[in-house]
Short mmCIF file of all heavy atoms in Angstrom, two decimals:
data_model
loop_
_atom_site.label_atom_id
_atom_site.label_comp_id
_atom_site.label_asym_id
_atom_site.label_seq_id
_atom_site.Cartn_x
_atom_site.Cartn_y
_atom_site.Cartn_z
N LEU F 179 32.64 -38.01 -41.90
CA LEU F 179 33.02 -36.63 -42.21
C LEU F 179 34.52 -36.54 -42.44
O LEU F 179 34.99 -35.93 -43.39
CB LEU F 179 32.59 -35.70 -41.08
CG LEU F 179 32.91 -34.22 -41.29
CD1 LEU F 179 32.22 -33.72 -42.54
CD2 LEU F 179 32.51 -33.41 -40.08
N ALA F 180 35.28 -37.20 -41.59
CA ALA F 180 36.73 -37.18 -41.76
C ALA F 180 37.13 -37.86 -43.06
O ALA F 180 38.00 -37.40 -43.79
CB ALA F 180 37.40 -37.88 -40.58
N ASN F 181 36.46 -39.01 -43.37
CA ASN F 181 36.79 -39.71 -44.60
C ASN F 181 36.49 -38.87 -45.83
O ASN F 181 37.24 -38.84 -46.79
CB ASN F 181 36.00 -41.02 -44.68
CG ASN F 181 36.47 -42.02 -43.63
OD1 ASN F 181 37.59 -41.92 -43.15
ND2 ASN F 181 35.59 -42.95 -43.26
N ARG F 182 35.37 -38.19 -45.78
CA ARG F 182 34.96 -37.42 -46.95
C ARG F 182 35.85 -36.21 -47.16
O ARG F 182 36.11 -35.81 -48.29
CB ARG F 182 33.51 -36.97 -46.81
CG ARG F 182 33.02 -36.14 -48.00
CD ARG F 182 31.60 -35.67 -47.82
NE ARG F 182 31.20 -34.90 -48.98
CZ ARG F 182 31.46 -33.62 -49.16
NH1 ARG F 182 32.13 -32.96 -48.24
NH2 ARG F 182 31.07 -32.98 -50.25
N GLN F 183 36.32 -35.63 -46.11
CA GLN F 183 37.03 -34.36 -46.23
C GLN F 183 38.55 -34.53 -46.24
O GLN F 183 39.27 -33.57 -46.10
CB GLN F 183 36.63 -33.43 -45.07
CG GLN F 183 35.15 -33.07 -45.06
CD GLN F 183 34.70 -32.40 -46.32
OE1 GLN F 183 35.47 -31.70 -46.95
NE2 GLN F 183 33.45 -32.64 -46.72
N HIS F 184 39.05 -35.77 -46.46
CA HIS F 184 40.51 -35.91 -46.40
C HIS F 184 41.21 -35.23 -47.57
O HIS F 184 42.38 -34.87 -47.48
CB HIS F 184 40.90 -37.40 -46.34
CG HIS F 184 40.68 -38.15 -47.62
ND1 HIS F 184 39.43 -38.58 -48.02
CD2 HIS F 184 41.54 -38.54 -48.60
CE1 HIS F 184 39.53 -39.23 -49.18
NE2 HIS F 184 40.79 -39.20 -49.57
N VAL F 185 40.50 -35.00 -48.68
CA VAL F 185 41.06 -34.24 -49.81
C VAL F 185 40.04 -33.18 -50.18
O VAL F 185 38.92 -33.50 -50.57
CB VAL F 185 41.35 -35.14 -51.02
CG1 VAL F 185 41.82 -34.29 -52.18
CG2 VAL F 185 42.39 -36.19 -50.68
N ARG F 186 40.43 -31.93 -50.05
CA ARG F 186 39.54 -30.84 -50.45
C ARG F 186 40.20 -30.04 -51.55
O ARG F 186 41.37 -29.70 -51.46
CB ARG F 186 39.23 -29.93 -49.27
CG ARG F 186 38.29 -30.56 -48.26
CD ARG F 186 37.99 -29.61 -47.13
NE ARG F 186 37.41 -28.37 -47.62
CZ ARG F 186 37.18 -27.32 -46.83
NH1 ARG F 186 37.48 -27.37 -45.55
NH2 ARG F 186 36.66 -26.23 -47.33
N PRO F 187 39.48 -29.75 -52.62
CA PRO F 187 40.06 -28.98 -53.73
C PRO F 187 40.58 -27.63 -53.24
O PRO F 187 40.05 -27.05 -52.28
CB PRO F 187 38.89 -28.80 -54.69
CG PRO F 187 37.97 -29.93 -54.36
CD PRO F 187 38.10 -30.14 -52.89
N THR F 188 41.62 -27.15 -53.91
CA THR F 188 42.21 -25.88 -53.54
C THR F 188 42.21 -24.93 -54.72
O THR F 188 42.09 -25.35 -55.88
CB THR F 188 43.67 -26.07 -53.06
OG1 THR F 188 44.43 -26.66 -54.12
CG2 THR F 188 43.71 -26.98 -51.83
N GLN F 198 42.15 -23.68 -49.33
CA GLN F 198 41.02 -24.56 -49.51
C GLN F 198 39.80 -23.77 -49.95
O GLN F 198 39.54 -22.68 -49.47
CB GLN F 198 40.72 -25.29 -48.19
CG GLN F 198 41.77 -26.34 -47.85
CD GLN F 198 41.38 -27.10 -46.59
OE1 GLN F 198 40.72 -26.56 -45.72
NE2 GLN F 198 41.81 -28.35 -46.50
N ARG F 199 39.06 -24.39 -50.87
CA ARG F 199 37.84 -23.73 -51.34
C ARG F 199 36.72 -23.96 -50.34
O ARG F 199 36.61 -25.04 -49.75
CB ARG F 199 37.44 -24.29 -52.71
CG ARG F 199 38.46 -24.03 -53.79
CD ARG F 199 37.93 -24.34 -55.15
NE ARG F 199 37.60 -25.76 -55.32
CZ ARG F 199 37.14 -26.27 -56.45
NH1 ARG F 199 36.93 -25.48 -57.49
NH2 ARG F 199 36.86 -27.55 -56.54
N ARG F 201 33.22 -25.01 -48.84
CA ARG F 201 32.32 -26.11 -49.21
C ARG F 201 30.90 -25.57 -49.35
O ARG F 201 30.31 -25.10 -48.38
CB ARG F 201 32.36 -27.21 -48.14
CG ARG F 201 33.73 -27.86 -47.99
CD ARG F 201 33.79 -28.71 -46.73
NE ARG F 201 33.58 -27.89 -45.53
CZ ARG F 201 33.62 -28.37 -44.29
NH1 ARG F 201 33.83 -29.65 -44.09
NH2 ARG F 201 33.44 -27.57 -43.27
N ASP F 228 33.86 -25.67 -53.54
CA ASP F 228 33.79 -27.13 -53.61
C ASP F 228 32.31 -27.47 -53.49
O ASP F 228 31.73 -27.44 -52.40
CB ASP F 228 34.60 -27.73 -52.45
CG ASP F 228 34.41 -29.23 -52.34
OD1 ASP F 228 33.93 -29.84 -53.30
OD2 ASP F 228 34.74 -29.79 -51.27
N THR F 230 28.80 -29.63 -53.82
CA THR F 230 28.13 -30.94 -53.78
C THR F 230 26.63 -30.70 -53.82
O THR F 230 26.11 -29.84 -53.11
CB THR F 230 28.49 -31.70 -52.50
OG1 THR F 230 29.91 -31.92 -52.46
CG2 THR F 230 27.77 -33.05 -52.45
N GLU F 271 30.13 -32.38 -57.43
CA GLU F 271 29.87 -33.72 -56.92
C GLU F 271 28.35 -33.93 -56.84
O GLU F 271 27.66 -33.21 -56.13
CB GLU F 271 30.50 -33.90 -55.54
CG GLU F 271 30.36 -35.32 -55.00
CD GLU F 271 31.04 -35.50 -53.66
OE1 GLU F 271 31.43 -34.47 -53.05
OE2 GLU F 271 31.17 -36.65 -53.22
#
Side-chain angles (χ1 to χ4, degrees):
L179 181 60
N181 292 337
R182 179 182 180 276
Q183 298 301 329
H184 71 282
V185 176
R186 287 181 58 187
T188 59
Q198 289 184 330
R199 297 191 296 181
R201 297 168 298 182
D228 172 17
T230 299
E271 185 178 12

